[in-house]
Amino acid sequence: MKKITVVLAAVACILLASCGAKKDANGWYDDFEAAKKEAKSSNKNILLFVNSDMDVPGTDAGVKFLLENADFTKAVKDKVVCVHFDFTDLAAAMAEIPEGATNKEQKAAEKRKAKLNTQFRIADCYMVQQTPAVVLATKEGYFITDVQFDFIGTTADGYVSALSLEDAAVSEVNAMVSATEKGSAAERVKAIDKFYESQSEGHRLLLSDLCRKVLSLDKKNETGLVSKYIVALSHADAYTYLVTGDVEKVLSIYEKNAADKRISPDDAQTLYYIAANVLANTRVGSADKIIELLEKSIAASPESEYAPTLMQILDSVKQMKASEEAGAPDYSAEDSAAEEPAEDTDAGSGE
């Protein structure tokens, strides 16, 4: 998927869901939100199938079989809603619209780019690294497991059998999700925390609605988990804007949540540092702003184990600024803020 990332990263990301999308003749949706709506109404899980120009060699026959006949989707229609993301011919789809294109052609190209960008963001949240890929998700869109199709056979039986091997994982995850809707507020928060901890860091980006539930269910922080989920929600919300290049919005999320009275000093320190690191790595902010954020980070928890490292980073940025003002050769603030002072400080970590 690295080549896909390069292609899409060069395009201004427009996160718009495609409108009016329906299943194709063989039973595949290409609109994830429409598929999720169908999954919720029919109480089914979601199967996401992704293929691309970089599919593993030797999988062509299996991919073609899944896409060009309805045997598989018909066989599993009582269990899952099927979604297909097609990342083939990306270079052509994401190329600059040629001069002289009609208004209709331009709108069609823009719609195609918007759909691809939306699909790619979703695939990224499911941590699709190699194609073809098959992912199972709950009706809410929470990750269940990756499904291992061999993509060699050209009959539905083998694929249906591979899907059935995941029945235990499906039951386990759905049971944990169901528990988040039962019991007292405290019991629901603890169930959310159990499910959250069962997910990998990347897949936690899909749990923003559950993070919000923690904050609404435990307004007095009786479980002691509120600060944790302010941080988790910060990452999930910031990711949405980070992939669009809206750095100002990302900063506003981290700064606002770092100043939340419910957050712990150490978590506030982490969020202020992340904001500074985002500025340094995107190279869109001034040294003064980076210094301000680092100073807030240190002040939030001056006795923490990470405060000395943060002081060193702050000194480096100040030296850089002084060198620039004196006309000395420039070096990047990115180098100064590269060392993580705390665990799980990546905007896309979901933690």
Side-chain angles (χ1 to χ4, degrees):
M1 294 284 286
K2 290 183 178 179
K3 292 183 180 178
I4 297 175
T5 304
V6 171
V7 173
L8 295 182
V11 182
C13 197
I14 308 170
L15 300 181
L16 300 174
S18 55
C19 300
K22 298 179 180 179
K23 291 184 289 187
D24 67 15
N26 293 319
W28 295 94
Y29 284 89
D30 67 356
D31 183 330
F32 194 81
E33 290 303 315
K36 190 158 68 171
K37 183 176 180 181
E38 169 62 22
K40 287 181 177 180
S41 67
S42 59
N43 195 31
K44 300 174 186 175
N45 296 302
I46 299 168
L47 182 143
L48 173 62
F49 171 43
V50 183
N51 74 301
S52 74
D53 291 322
M54 280 69 72
D55 284 348
V56 173
T59 60
D60 294 359
V63 169
K64 184 177 181 180
F65 166 76
L66 285 176
L67 295 176
E68 294 187 1
N69 69 78
D71 290 356
F72 174 74
T73 53
K74 285 181 179 178
V76 299
K77 64 182 177 63
D78 293 332
K79 298 175 65 174
V80 295
V81 174
C82 295
V83 188
H84 172 225
F85 289 173
D86 180 7
F87 292 152
T88 57
D89 299 324
L90 275 181
M94 304 304 285
E96 291 293 330
I97 300 171
E99 292 185 14
T102 66
N103 187 54
K104 183 177 180 180
E105 290 171 338
Q106 184 171 354
K107 287 183 177 180
E110 289 173 350
K111 183 177 180 180
R112 172 67 172 154
K113 288 181 181 181
K115 181 173 75 172
L116 283 170
N117 278 302
T118 300
Q119 290 176 339
F120 187 79
R121 176 178 59 85
I122 294 168
D124 192 44
C125 286
Y126 286 107
M127 301 180 69
V128 172
Q129 301 295 321
Q130 179 177 279
T131 61
V134 181
V135 178
L136 269 177
T138 69
K139 62 187 178 184
E140 299 86 2
Y142 309 142
F143 176 80
I144 297 176
T145 189
D146 295 306
V147 185
Q148 301 304 314
F149 283 4
D150 59 20
F151 293 99
I152 296 174
T154 54
T155 65
D157 294 345
Y159 298 106
V160 174
S161 296
L163 185 61
S164 296
L165 292 176
E166 307 301 341
D167 285 349
V170 169
S171 296
E172 181 181 5
V173 171
N174 277 301
M176 283 193 286
V177 174
S178 179
T180 68
E181 298 294 337
K182 299 176 181 178
S184 66
E187 288 171 336
R188 291 177 65 188
V189 169
K190 290 178 181 178
I192 290 171
D193 190 54
K194 179 181 179 181
F195 179 52
Y196 181 89
E197 289 297 326
S198 75
Q199 296 278 291
S200 70
E201 290 185 6
H203 294 135
R204 289 172 183 171
L205 292 172
L206 299 162
L207 307 181
S208 60
D209 60 330
L210 292 180
C211 296
R212 292 183 210 282
K213 281 187 180 180
V214 169
L215 304 185
S216 64
L217 288 168
D218 192 8
K219 294 181 179 179
K220 295 183 179 180
N221 195 23
E222 294 175 355
T223 65
L225 292 170
V226 167
S227 184
K228 173 182 178 178
Y229 284 96
I230 291 174
V231 173
L233 188 58
S234 300
H235 295 325
D237 287 348
Y239 173 78
T240 301
Y241 295 99
L242 192 62
V243 295
T244 70
D246 191 345
V247 177
E248 289 187 5
K249 185 64 177 179
V250 172
L251 292 179
S252 71
I253 289 169
Y254 282 124
E255 287 192 84
K256 177 182 177 181
N257 290 338
D260 194 306
K261 293 180 179 180
R262 298 169 294 174
I263 201 168
S264 72
D266 285 351
D267 285 342
Q269 182 171 84
T270 296
L271 293 188
Y272 279 127
Y273 170 76
I274 292 172
N277 204 33
V278 167
L279 271 185
N281 281 289
T282 56
R283 306 188 184 193
V284 299
S286 66
D288 286 336
K289 182 62 177 177
I290 295 173
I291 289 169
E292 175 192 333
L293 291 168
L294 289 172
E295 289 175 340
K296 286 182 176 180
S297 180
I298 294 166
S301 187
E303 302 302 321
S304 78
E305 63 178 301
Y306 304 110
T309 300
L310 288 166
M311 285 296 301
Q312 292 176 1
I313 295 171
L314 176 61
D315 289 343
S316 295
V317 175
K318 287 181 176 179
Q319 291 173 18
M320 176 204 70
K321 180 187 175 187
S323 296
E324 288 181 346
E325 291 175 346
D330 179 31
Y331 69 91
S332 173
E334 179 181 358
D335 298 330
S336 301
E339 184 178 354
E340 300 285 338
E343 294 182 356
D344 303 320
T345 56
D346 181 11
S349 70
E351 171 74 322

